[in-house]
């Protein structure tokens, strides 16, 4: 899915890229940056872009040429001046930072800036964070650190204060859907997966997943069964739903998908212009919206949210869904 990654880098984070280019152009590159944003917002891709720009032998119009020896080695992960540190298991350990600092003190580097990128910086344990802090306090030579995180508040304030923070925003749903459609994802599926995750790469994988497509279809069939009568809906839970949504995580996702249905119906009733999660169901939902009151929709949405809360308490999942169907039916009786 390379083209989506590239378009995300240049379209989804254009403001960030413009800021980094300006720093390079004005020769104001600092010694430490914190790239802060949700998982999937292109932080590591942008860090690699910046590393290429800082080391490129033939930058053109203040962007890396992508074809020189330096750019190619950064792309392949083989440039001696670029180091990426990732968690070893659940944490970034002190031993990793010690080994890195030993490497930094060696003379095997090429001329030019040394760049180190720390992925998931929030996973540093106290000892490794303190080791990094000492280095940030006394940077050695022409060095730039790029710390990546999706949990800024979990990082020591003393480290935060020594880094320039650069915020990464998730793309708008409209942008994400357009990017997914460029990759061949159907509009209806793109609209659904973009509700579940802001990570375009993850959304693409989800859109290709047959199991997810079945989940989506099953949720819509439950809505149809519920529209007929409570007996049909209860039978559907026992015969179909429980075969598709077997694990707690799967049930939680099913409840989210069901929640998006009734949000779409409420939006249709209110004639809102927001992008629906199920554009392919517009006519069906419009019919339901005409027959349901706002009060009924509110009760049903609250029932789904309550089921999500009960799911965390290890309640039997089939019983939970049967109770939800009954609560939704009661909601339809509210005037």
């Amino acid at each position: 899915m390379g083209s989506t990654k590239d378009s995300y880098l240049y379209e989804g984070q254009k403001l960030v890229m413009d800021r980094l280019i300006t720093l390079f152009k004005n020769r104001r590159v600092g010694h430490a940056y914190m790239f802060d944003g949700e998982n999937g917002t292109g932080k590591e891709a942008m860090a690699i872009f910046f590393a290429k720009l800082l080391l490129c032998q033939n930058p053109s119009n203040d962007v890396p040429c992508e074809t020189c020896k330096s750019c190619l080695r950064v792309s392949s992960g083989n440039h001696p001046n670029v180091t990426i540190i990732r968690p070893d298991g659940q944490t970034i350990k002190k031993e990793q930072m010690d080994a890195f600092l030993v490497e930094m003190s060696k003379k095997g580097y090429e001329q030019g800036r040394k760049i180190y990128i720390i992925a998931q910086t929030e996973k540093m344990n106290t000892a490794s964070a303190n080791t990094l802090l000492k280095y940030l306090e006394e940077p050695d030579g022409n060095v730039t650190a790029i710390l990546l995180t999706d949990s800024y508040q979990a990082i020591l304030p003393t480290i935060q204060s020594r880094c320039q923070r650069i915020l990464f925003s998730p793309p708008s749903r409209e942008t994400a859907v357009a990017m997914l459609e460029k990759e061949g994802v159907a509009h209806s599926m793109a609209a659904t997966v973009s509700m579940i995750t802001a990570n375009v790469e993850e959304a693409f994988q989800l859109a290709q997943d047959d199991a997810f497509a079945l989940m989506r279809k099953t949720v819509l069939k439950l809505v149809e069964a519920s529209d007929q009568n409570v007996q049909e809906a209860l039978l559907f839970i026992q015969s179909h739903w429980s075969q598709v949504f077997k694990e707690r995580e799967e049930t939680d996702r099913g409840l989210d998908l069901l929640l998006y249905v009734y949000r779409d119906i409420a939006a249709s009733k209110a004639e809102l212009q927001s992008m629906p999660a199920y554009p392919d169901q517009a006519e069906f939902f419009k019919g339901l919206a005409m027959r349901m009151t706002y009060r009924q929709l509110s009760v049903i949405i609250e029932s789904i949210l309550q089921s999500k809360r009960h799911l965390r308490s290890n309640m039997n999942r089939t019983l939970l869904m049967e109770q939800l169907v009954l609560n939704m039916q009661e909601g339809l009786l509210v005037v």
Side-chain angles (χ1 to χ4, degrees):
M1 193 184 157
S3 60
T4 292
K5 275 187 175 176
D6 293 343
S7 61
Y8 192 14
L9 176 58
Y10 292 99
E11 294 172 30
Q13 301 299 344
K14 189 175 185 307
L15 289 176
V16 171
M17 189 172 73
D18 288 347
R19 181 175 172 183
L20 296 177
I21 288 172
T22 299
L23 290 169
F24 170 78
K25 187 165 30 176
N26 296 337
R27 299 174 185 262
R28 297 179 63 97
V29 177
H31 79 277
Y33 295 92
M34 182 85 69
F35 285 9
D36 174 22
E38 290 180 30
N39 179 33
T41 47
K43 299 185 295 294
E44 185 166 331
M46 193 64 78
I48 297 297
F49 165 85
F50 197 32
K52 284 182 188 173
L53 182 58
L54 296 177
L55 295 170
C56 181
Q57 295 164 343
N58 305 299
S60 174
N61 297 318
D62 301 307
V63 296
C65 70
E66 302 287 354
T67 56
C68 70
K69 183 180 177 183
S70 182
C71 281
L72 293 173
R73 285 198 294 174
V74 174
S75 291
S76 65
N78 292 319
H79 199 297
N81 287 30
V82 180
T83 303
I84 301 180
I85 301 165
R86 303 183 191 279
D88 178 9
Q90 295 301 307
T91 61
I92 296 173
K93 299 177 174 63
K94 183 177 187 298
E95 294 76 21
Q96 289 178 266
M97 296 307 298
D98 288 339
F100 160 67
L101 293 180
V102 168
E103 283 295 313
M104 290 289 278
S105 67
K106 291 180 180 176
K107 303 296 183 185
Y109 289 92
E110 295 186 0
Q111 202 169 13
R113 189 175 296 270
K114 291 184 278 191
I115 299 156
Y116 62 99
I117 300 165
I118 302 181
Q120 296 178 283
T121 304
E122 71 280 357
K123 292 193 173 181
M124 287 191 297
N125 61 28
T126 304
S128 60
N130 286 328
T131 301
L132 174 65
L133 184 58
K134 288 178 189 173
Y135 194 75
L136 289 174
E137 287 171 341
E138 301 171 9
D140 180 21
N142 194 14
V143 179
T144 294
I146 306 174
L147 281 57
L148 316 179
T149 185
D150 54 16
S151 185
Y152 184 75
Q153 300 307 322
I155 293 170
L156 286 176
T158 44
I159 290 179
Q160 293 176 2
S161 66
R162 284 164 175 79
C163 300
Q164 295 182 45
R165 186 183 184 188
I166 297 182
L167 289 170
F168 282 64
S169 302
S172 67
R173 277 192 69 220
E174 288 76 12
T175 300
V177 167
M179 289 163 65
L180 290 166
E181 287 184 289
K182 273 187 192 175
E183 294 294 320
V185 177
H187 177 72
S188 55
M189 181 60 82
T192 304
V193 295
S194 66
M195 285 289 291
I196 290 172
T197 176
N199 182 332
V200 179
E201 183 88 1
E202 188 180 322
F204 179 80
Q205 296 301 327
L206 208 53
Q208 305 302 305
D209 186 356
D210 289 342
F212 179 77
L214 181 58
M215 286 181 183
R216 185 184 190 275
K217 183 178 179 182
T218 303
V219 166
L220 292 172
K221 283 189 173 295
L222 175 61
V223 176
E224 289 177 15
S226 299
D227 186 46
Q228 294 176 36
N229 59 65
V230 69
Q231 286 79 21
E232 282 289 330
L234 288 170
L235 182 62
F236 185 80
I237 291 294
Q238 293 161 4
S239 61
H240 290 83
W241 179 281
S242 58
Q243 302 304 308
V244 175
F245 299 94
K246 295 177 181 177
E247 304 298 329
R248 180 162 62 172
E249 293 76 14
E250 293 168 346
T251 304
D252 192 45
R253 173 151 288 175
L255 289 170
D256 282 338
L257 290 169
L258 190 60
L259 189 63
Y260 302 151
V261 167
Y262 288 96
R263 284 180 177 170
D264 272 11
I265 295 169
S268 175
K269 188 170 185 66
E271 298 184 351
L272 299 179
Q273 297 304 307
S274 57
M275 181 185 291
Y278 300 94
D280 52 323
Q281 302 296 314
E283 287 305 310
F284 174 44
F285 289 177
K286 186 176 180 181
L288 291 176
M290 290 174 66
R291 302 201 305 272
M292 298 172 73
T293 67
Y294 287 116
R295 174 71 178 138
Q296 288 170 335
L297 285 166
S298 176
V299 170
I300 289 172
I301 288 171
E302 179 52 39
S303 295
I304 298 169
L305 292 171
Q306 189 176 53
S307 294
K308 281 177 66 66
R309 291 191 289 269
H310 286 159
L311 186 62
R312 298 189 196 110
S313 64
N314 288 325
M315 181 177 175
N316 178 281
R317 289 185 284 280
T318 301
L319 287 176
L320 180 142
M321 289 306 302
E322 289 174 348
Q323 186 60 56
L324 173 59
V325 164
L326 293 171
N327 291 343
M328 288 168 63
Q329 198 66 28
E330 285 179 21
L332 291 173
L333 300 177
V334 173
V335 178

